[in-house]
Amino acid sequence: MDPLAALLDGPRAHGAFLLRSVLTPPWSLRIEDRAPLTVVSAVRGRAWIVPDTGDAVLIGEGDVAIARGPDPYVVADHPETPPQAHILPGQECRTPDGGHLTELTHVGVRTWGHGTDGPDVLLTGTYGMEGELSDRLLAALPPLIVLRAADWPTPLAGLLADEIGKDVPGQEAVLDRLLDLLLIAALRAWFDRPGSHAPAWYRAHADPVVGHALRLLQHQPAEPWTVAKLAADTGVSRAALARRFTALVGEPPIAYLAGWRLALAADLLRQQPDATIGAIAHQVGYGSAFALSAAFKREFGVSPQRYRVRARAS
């Protein structure tokens, strides 16, 4: 899989937090949930997104915003409106002084706000994911991305809005997949925009040689890759591949592969709690548990077993 797909195919949306907010000005919510990634779309009306550092951004109907955590930010009808609620980890909602909220309440299935009708209606989808593959992508994102409806018309936000209030069997799975589709489509659209400063590994996928090499490494990490084997499979010389890959990706092929294998291993330690270290080592291309453990500790500063224990506790 490629790194963009890995964002959602490792710790992808699974019972993600999804909420429709129906709000009447003045309103302001301070988001302190430390979520790695949150998608916000304005179904009706508008909203300001105000990070603690950086410029406030206004989103209107049909716009989609992606906020990269864990830094806090405010979503409000106006940048100067003082927060009425603080959204804490676990989506706990409190007043600014720590009290119980009364002004904003649940008013329907996955819906809360000031009532059942209001001029501003927002959709929010929050990922509580963890994993080194996600970190590789998240590190490439700015704190806030906004895609305007006029520049990027998409039916996905509207479809999510239609489905979010339904309470039928299997609906959580439907909503998770719709949120995944909206996020992956939005990120791909943003990466493909001129001047978006997409990460080198994303741009390199468009190169016929390096893109093919990346896909081989990403889809078959357990293969005993060498530069010679990779060059033969991509139809160029070793020198040409090494030079081109390093220029486009920013590191040599085998260095990239080592980082990719360790990122995969970190995810598997979280996702497969009963798998042995040796089994995970073989899945990602290491010959033994010892070889993986040595490389893993150099990269992350802890052994795979210790990493797994910490993951379970978090």
Side-chain angles (χ1 to χ4, degrees):
M1 71 188 75
D2 64 76
L4 189 55
L7 172 67
L8 300 173
D9 196 50
R12 65 179 176 176
H14 181 72
F17 177 77
L18 279 155
L19 186 69
R20 174 172 53 196
S21 302
V22 182
L23 302 162
T24 300
W27 59 268
S28 178
L29 313 172
R30 181 166 174 80
I31 313 301
E32 299 178 341
D33 60 3
R34 300 191 62 80
L37 206 65
T38 299
V39 181
V40 180
S41 180
V43 176
R44 185 170 70 231
R46 64 181 202 168
W48 285 90
I49 301 177
V50 188
D52 279 9
T53 57
D55 297 330
V57 177
L58 178 66
I59 62 171
E61 187 170 325
D63 294 346
V64 175
I66 300 171
R68 187 204 68 201
D71 293 340
Y73 55 94
V74 169
V75 184
D77 71 304
H78 188 276
E80 301 302 322
T81 302
Q84 301 161 338
H86 286 203
I87 313 301
L88 305 174
Q91 302 306 320
E92 180 184 359
C93 304
R94 293 287 178 181
T95 60
D97 61 3
H100 181 69
L101 277 178
T102 56
E103 186 177 351
L104 293 161
T105 60
H106 287 281
V107 294
V109 177
R110 302 182 191 87
T111 303
W112 86 317
H114 296 109
T116 56
D117 194 21
D120 299 324
V121 179
L122 305 179
L123 295 182
T124 303
T126 300
Y127 286 80
M129 60 197 168
E130 296 174 322
E132 298 305 324
L133 287 177
S134 301
D135 289 346
R136 179 183 285 258
L137 176 60
L138 292 173
L141 301 178
L144 184 64
I145 292 170
V146 176
L147 292 125
R148 303 294 180 188
D151 302 324
W152 185 64
T154 176
L156 293 171
L159 186 56
L160 186 60
D162 291 340
E163 293 287 335
I164 199 169
K166 295 180 181 179
D167 189 16
V168 295
Q171 191 63 9
E172 275 198 1
V174 170
L175 294 173
D176 283 347
R177 299 293 74 77
L178 284 174
L179 179 61
D180 285 349
L181 284 171
L182 178 59
L183 174 61
I184 205 82
L187 289 177
R188 190 167 57 189
W190 183 79
F191 279 146
D192 288 340
R193 291 171 58 182
S196 67
H197 304 294
W201 49 255
Y202 184 86
R203 297 193 306 269
H205 272 274
D207 183 85
V209 172
V210 177
H212 183 44
L214 281 168
R215 285 184 286 274
L216 288 171
L217 297 177
Q218 291 157 0
H219 286 272
Q220 303 173 49
E223 284 290 310
W225 292 110
T226 63
V227 176
K229 177 175 171 54
L230 196 59
D233 286 357
T234 53
V236 296
S237 70
R238 286 189 301 171
L241 175 64
R243 182 172 58 251
R244 194 161 173 172
F245 193 104
T246 304
L248 293 179
V249 178
E251 58 185 334
I254 302 306
Y256 177 88
L257 175 61
W260 180 253
R261 283 172 168 169
L262 291 172
L264 277 173
D267 254 9
L268 291 173
L269 287 166
R270 293 177 179 275
Q271 297 164 16
Q272 300 179 8
D274 296 327
T276 66
I277 305 302
I280 289 175
H282 288 295
Q283 285 187 68
V284 301
Y286 283 89
S288 67
F290 177 80
L292 172 61
S293 296
F296 197 94
K297 192 167 186 178
R298 284 196 302 271
E299 179 71 15
F300 298 114
V302 295
S303 69
Q305 188 58 41
R306 182 60 181 162
Y307 184 92
R308 174 178 272 169
V309 170
R310 288 184 180 178
R312 286 175 177 171
S314 63

